[in-house]
Amino acid sequence: MSQEYVIKPYTPEIRLNIDYPRELNEQQLAAVTAPPGPALVIAGAGSGKTRTLTYRVAYLLEQGIPADRILLLTFTNKAAAEMMRRVSDLLGHELRSLWGGTFHSIGARILRLNAETLGYRRDFTILDRDDAKDLIKACVVDAKIETKGTHFPKPEVLNEIFSMAANTHKTVADLLEGQFSYFSDFATEIADQQKRYIARKHAANGMDFDDLLALWLKLMQEHPAVCEQFQRRFQFILVDEYQDTNKLQGDLIDLLAARHKNVMVVGDDAQSIYAWRGANFANILDFPKRYPGAKVFKIETNYRSTPEILAVANAAITANVNQFAKELAPARKSGVKPALVKCHDAGQQAAFIAQRTLELREEGTSLNQIAVLYRSHFHALELQLELTRRQIPFSITSGFAFECEVPEAPVWVEGDTDALSQVVVNLLSNAEKYSGSGREIGVQLLLKQSPLPHVEVRVLDRGLGVPRGSGEKIFEKFYRAHDSLSSGIQGSGLGLTIARQIARAHDGDVFYEAREGGGSCFILRLPLKAIQSQNS
């Protein structure tokens, strides 16, 4: 009778001698030292979940678990790097044998090892969004689909539909009946495009980001020997930000943990905000159902916020019906009460923030101690203009900053100023979406008095290696890619047609300029109605 014999590589015993009770609070300690088995850690905002996970890794190593039997999954490269750095700091050296990284990086690593099993070569190419869009565009051309004069989805929209289908385990038909119902008339053509896209990727030995997860799951589901190999390998699985996992990621975790059931997921059901990209918060809510006997740990001491802020946060989530009840407790001393300020519009909101900023400075608060948070960068248009007008210095920590040249005198734009504001908002929104792949997109709002009073909205592509003569082609592609408009200024993008309509309405102009050294500039120029001297 044959017997399985596993050769275990020699690894020196790890003795960290960490004083866990001293380093952790009681709730963190309970999670870190939990016995084997499924565990759900509900970690409230600012409660030290990263610290809990890294000390959990250290604890497992001290218990004799080999590093290569531990899988640590995170959501972003930044989070993965930070987690691995903290583990290395605890150990005093880098731990290369630990499997730690994002879902996509771990998926790519496993697929490289097993590419031939799925009919790929190990040197497969990972397609970025631009690559995927170009491939889908080629599929549309091959299918001879007439897109002009119709609202057939553009390549990037098709990619979004295919991505959502992969991450939610839904069919294209299901999505076209719900989230993308406005494309339902093209259901047959879109389903055909998905098949063509998959075939082209395979023929090119390429995988997009969604494939790194979908094909990883397919590998595990359809090849039992490979599945068993990794189920045996990963004796302990740790997952960060579990509330943001989608159906595909949830299934991967459950499949990998099916043998040992030693899976610890950390998250906060109250912080699930990515449903729009397929995240399924039911993963965290239903964890105890999927893992009977799972231990639930709550980490509720908040080290980030004052009691007054936490009181608001606790009150905001108390009405949630589907949640793990929690009460965040502050570790910090009492501070200023939060204020809810109701404003009529974005302009009034910007004026309030600017005025309050000046008041705080007069009261002795340094500008370096004042921060403004917003959900999306294009929301900052009015604020940046208001701060510039009042000569309040500021810096943008990420995204795009408007470069403004404001004349000394007040300026009125002829016609509908709301239209101009919407133009700039759309410009910045699209610039933010289009950035990447070596490009640098900038947006300028220039208010000029010479040669005639006018306002210019400029979009600059500073991408390296862009031929001087290709400016028109670049920006034609840039704007038309997001032009889902039929009339007026609505929707998610700004097309050249709409820009020209705005220019004509204000007796303005739309044109391009090539930039020295490469790159190009798209310019929307509008006249000014009047300039009034500050002395008048």
Side-chain angles (χ1 to χ4, degrees), residues 182-196:
Y182 38 88
F183 295 125
S184 59
D185 292 344
F186 302 102
T188 302
E189 293 89 342
I190 293 174
D192 177 64
Q193 287 301 302
Q194 184 186 37
K195 294 177 182 177
R196 290 173 181 267

Side-chain angles (χ1 to χ4, degrees), residues 332-401:
R332 292 183 57 181
K333 296 180 180 179
S334 183
V336 179
K337 283 188 176 181
L340 174 62
V341 180
K342 296 182 179 180
C343 300
H344 294 300
D345 53 33
Q348 189 180 71
Q349 176 179 265
F352 168 79
I353 293 174
Q355 179 175 316
R356 185 64 186 133
T357 298
L358 293 175
E359 291 172 353
L360 288 170
R361 185 174 66 177
E362 291 174 1
E363 294 168 6
T365 301
S366 169
L367 292 180
N368 289 329
Q369 294 179 300
I370 301 174
V372 180
L373 306 178
Y374 40 81
R375 286 294 303 276
S376 186
H377 192 72
F378 65 83
H379 290 156
L381 166 64
E382 291 85 356
L383 177 60
Q384 291 192 41
L385 294 179
E386 185 68 20
L387 293 175
T388 301
R389 190 175 73 84
R390 300 196 187 206
Q391 298 183 346
I392 301 174
F394 64 91
S395 62
I396 304 297
T397 58
S398 65
F400 299 89

Side-chain angles (χ1 to χ4, degrees), residues 212-417:
L212 298 179
L213 302 184
L215 292 179
W216 178 12
L217 182 60
K218 179 181 179 180
L219 176 72
M220 301 282 287
Q221 289 176 331
E222 298 182 1
H223 301 276
V226 177
C227 181
E228 184 179 5
Q229 173 191 349
F230 287 101
Q231 286 176 339
R232 286 179 177 275
R233 170 181 285 275
F234 298 133
Q235 188 175 346
F236 284 84
I237 299 173
L238 307 174
V239 185
D240 189 21
E241 303 289 5
Y242 188 64
Q243 78 279 353
D244 292 330
T245 55
N246 55 39
K247 181 69 167 63
L248 177 55
Q249 291 161 331
D251 288 351
L252 273 168
I253 295 165
D254 291 346
L255 192 55
L256 286 169
R259 182 181 183 87
H260 298 291
K261 307 257 188 234
N262 294 327
V263 55
M264 175 177 283
V265 298
V266 181
D268 183 3
D269 54 303
Q271 296 186 61
S272 182
I273 60 173
Y274 290 112
W276 57 273
R277 68 180 187 190
N280 183 10
F281 72 94
N283 283 350
I284 192 169
L285 291 179
D286 294 341
F287 186 86
K289 297 178 183 177
R290 298 201 315 280
Y291 291 88
K295 295 184 180 297
V296 178
F297 300 92
K298 295 181 181 179
I299 305 178
E300 299 169 299
T301 301
N302 179 287
Y303 295 93
R304 181 184 301 158
S305 305
T306 60
E308 290 78 9
I309 292 176
L310 286 186
V312 174
N314 286 328
I317 64 175
T318 189
N320 291 355
V321 176
N322 298 317
Q323 68 164 317
F324 292 97
K326 67 186 75 68
E327 186 75 18
L328 297 178
R332 292 183 57 181
K333 296 180 180 179
S334 183
V336 179
K337 283 188 176 181
L340 174 62
V341 180
K342 296 182 179 180
C343 300
H344 294 300
D345 53 33
Q348 189 180 71
Q349 176 179 265
F352 168 79
I353 293 174
Q355 179 175 316
R356 185 64 186 133
T357 298
L358 293 175
E359 291 172 353
L360 288 170
R361 185 174 66 177
E362 291 174 1
E363 294 168 6
T365 301
S366 169
L367 292 180
N368 289 329
Q369 294 179 300
I370 301 174
V372 180
L373 306 178
Y374 40 81
R375 286 294 303 276
S376 186
H377 192 72
F378 65 83
H379 290 156
L381 166 64
E382 291 85 356
L383 177 60
Q384 291 192 41
L385 294 179
E386 185 68 20
L387 293 175
T388 301
R389 190 175 73 84
R390 300 196 187 206
Q391 298 183 346
I392 301 174
F394 64 91
S395 62
I396 304 297
T397 58
S398 65
F400 299 89
F402 287 100
E403 303 171 29
C404 301
E405 294 180 8
V406 181
E408 294 181 356
V411 171
W412 290 265
V413 179
E414 181 178 13
D416 185 359
T417 55

Side-chain angles (χ1 to χ4, degrees), residues 39 89 94 110 139 230 292 312 362 475 483 516:
D89 289 346
E94 191 172 352
I110 290 176
C139 293
F230 287 101
V312 174
E362 291 174 1
F475 285 100
D483 186 7
E516 291 294 336

Side-chain angles (χ1 to χ4, degrees), residues 472-490:
E472 183 165 348
K473 181 183 294 184
I474 289 173
F475 285 100
E476 183 82 21
K477 182 178 181 181
F478 171 29
Y479 289 106
R480 290 195 182 280
H482 297 281
D483 186 7
S484 60
L485 313 180
S486 56
S487 64
I489 306 173
Q490 301 173 12

